[in-house]
Amino acid sequence: MSYSAAMRARLSDIAQQADVSEATVSRVLNDRPGVAPETRQAVLTALDVLGYERPARLRKRSAGLVGLVVPELDNPIFPAFAQIIESALAPTGYTPVLCTQTPGGVREDEYVEMLLDRQVSGIVFVSGLHADTAADHDRYRTLLARPLPIVMINGYAPGIPAPFVSCDDREAAELAVAHLMALGHRRIGLITGPDRFVPVQRKVSGYKAAMERLAGVDAGELAELTELSLFGVEGGEAAAGRLIERGATGIVCGSDLMALGAIRAARQRGMSVPGDLSVVGYDDSPLMAFTDPPLTTMRQPVAAMAVAAVRALVDEINGHGAPHSEYLFRPELVVRGSTAVAQQDDTSAAGGPRQRPASSALAVPA
């Protein structure tokens, strides 16, 4: 029934079902203050049990679900985003429904269908298919046409009228290269993921620009020092092994997990980090300050990005229309123990780094 019809219903039935007074029922139905949250919920539940339709102003409050789609939870940066988004949503009355993709598991489109079945008010996509230049982005235009508010984090797709929130990957790569150059490194390699992803393309662009500007490296040498691999520890380890064989003394990585793989590759070759090889990660995900050695990395401002994404989504849900553009957040260089001054007597120019005895290798960070 409508709001006015609900007011004419027998308040005594609702009050009895909820075990509250008729006056309390009246206050809840009129959305007035002075009612404890648990009491308000009891009255709304009584309405549902007795078959009464909630008043329109209360239906919006009770339907506060927001989809949150992330690519994985193995990389600790994604749980960090999820946690802050949940905290930022709480004061707005919305609750996130976390959807985590796994290899061979539920795909993004399947999660979206499930979220639509649950009548979510909006969806936040973190590093989703919007970041993949090979993906069909019409899926997002279809959602916007419903209309359903959406916000994208890390990855920009032109032609989608929605807010985008990203860390400035190009600047991050440039800052990482500049840091290693200041320590005396010239043979600086880059390890990152497949080049179809927008954040990867931006990191590669920033790396090449910085290497050309600061070190005068030509295109041929840049190609030799750039390794595109699988995301994760294993991809970083394999790519770092190839760069070490080519004489790299410093490596910029596209993620912290890749950086841990690079450290593992160095130690398997009897090298020390940062004595023989300096490594820079990306994200500053949780626990990177406690690895061995503590990881120098480019910090994503996760808290600021997550809060901005939530504000944009809530504005869209409330009809205020957040600007449909990309908001770039500046990364921060966090210097720790995995980078140091380059060895002056390295033999990289002769085709390989100076090796240390295997006995000096330390345990690989977990």
Side-chain angles (χ1 to χ4, degrees):
M1 68 181 79
S2 65
Y3 171 72
S4 58
M7 290 300 293
R8 293 194 299 269
R10 293 183 61 186
L11 296 183
S12 60
D13 290 345
I14 302 172
Q16 183 178 1
Q17 179 69 31
D19 195 22
V20 298
S21 68
E22 293 182 22
T24 298
V25 174
S26 178
R27 285 198 293 273
V28 172
L29 295 179
N30 285 283
D31 200 21
R32 291 175 180 167
V35 181
E38 58 271 16
T39 302
R40 184 181 296 275
Q41 186 59 50
V43 172
L44 294 176
T45 301
L47 281 173
D48 296 339
V49 170
L50 295 173
Y52 297 134
E53 185 177 344
R54 298 186 183 190
R57 69 181 68 182
L58 300 180
R59 286 201 301 272
K60 182 177 181 180
R61 176 177 297 170
S62 66
L65 295 178
V66 167
L68 174 56
V69 182
V70 300
E72 58 170 303
L73 293 180
D74 291 339
N75 187 332
I77 197 64
F78 296 123
F81 268 113
Q83 181 179 16
I84 297 173
I85 288 172
E86 180 179 15
S87 299
L89 280 170
T92 71
Y94 291 95
T95 301
V97 179
L98 180 61
C99 301
T100 305
Q101 302 175 70
T102 55
V106 180
R107 297 174 302 159
E108 180 178 306
D109 290 341
E110 294 171 324
Y111 271 130
V112 168
E113 288 301 319
M114 289 190 289
L115 292 172
L116 293 177
D117 288 342
R118 287 162 175 76
Q119 298 181 329
V120 295
S121 301
I123 303 177
V124 177
F125 295 92
V126 182
S127 299
L129 291 174
H130 64 279
D132 188 344
T133 59
D136 183 0
H137 295 151
D138 283 342
R139 52 175 47 90
Y140 301 114
R141 299 183 186 94
T142 300
L143 291 176
L144 292 167
R146 291 182 66 93
L148 181 75
I150 60 176
V151 173
M152 322 287 199
I153 295 180
N154 278 341
Y156 178 68
I160 299 177
F164 290 82
V165 175
S166 301
C167 185
D168 193 334
D169 296 288
R170 180 185 173 93
E171 181 177 4
E174 291 182 349
L175 289 173
V177 169
H179 169 63
L180 292 175
M181 288 289 298
L183 293 174
H185 296 275
R186 183 184 178 280
R187 293 284 291 179
I188 301 170
L190 173 70
I191 298 172
T192 188
D195 63 358
R196 70 177 189 271
F197 296 106
V198 172
V200 169
Q201 294 173 358
R202 291 176 171 179
K203 288 184 177 75
V204 171
S205 175
Y207 163 78
K208 289 182 176 180
M211 289 291 285
E212 290 171 353
R213 183 179 71 253
L214 299 176
V217 179
D218 60 30
E221 189 175 358
L222 284 175
E224 184 182 67
L225 290 172
T226 303
E227 281 288 336
L228 303 184
S229 185
L230 297 177
F231 289 114
V233 174
E234 292 76 13
E237 180 181 354
R242 293 188 289 270
L243 290 177
I244 290 171
E245 295 302 319
R246 296 170 195 158
T249 65
I251 298 179
V252 175
C253 299
S255 74
D256 290 337
L257 295 185
M258 285 184 140
L260 296 184
I263 293 173
R264 176 188 291 176
R267 287 175 170 168
Q268 286 179 341
R269 288 161 174 78
M271 301 170 65
S272 74
V273 176
D276 299 309
L277 181 73
S278 287
V279 178
V280 181
Y282 178 87
D283 283 334
D284 194 28
S285 45
L287 302 182
M288 291 304 108
F290 306 100
T291 58
D292 178 23
L295 187 66
T296 295
T297 186
M298 298 305 307
R299 175 182 292 163
Q300 280 200 74
V302 173
M305 292 170 64
V307 169
V310 167
R311 287 176 178 171
L313 185 70
V314 173
D315 282 347
E316 290 280 305
I317 293 172
N318 293 333
H320 299 321
H324 297 159
S325 58
E326 184 180 27
Y327 301 87
L328 284 177
F329 286 74
R330 297 194 64 184
E332 176 187 356
L333 173 65
V334 181
V335 179
R336 298 194 181 105
S338 65
T339 53
V341 174
Q343 293 284 350
Q344 296 303 310
D345 60 341
D346 70 78
T347 58
S348 60
R354 179 171 60 86
Q355 301 288 312
R356 289 196 174 190
S359 60
S360 68
L362 303 178
V364 177

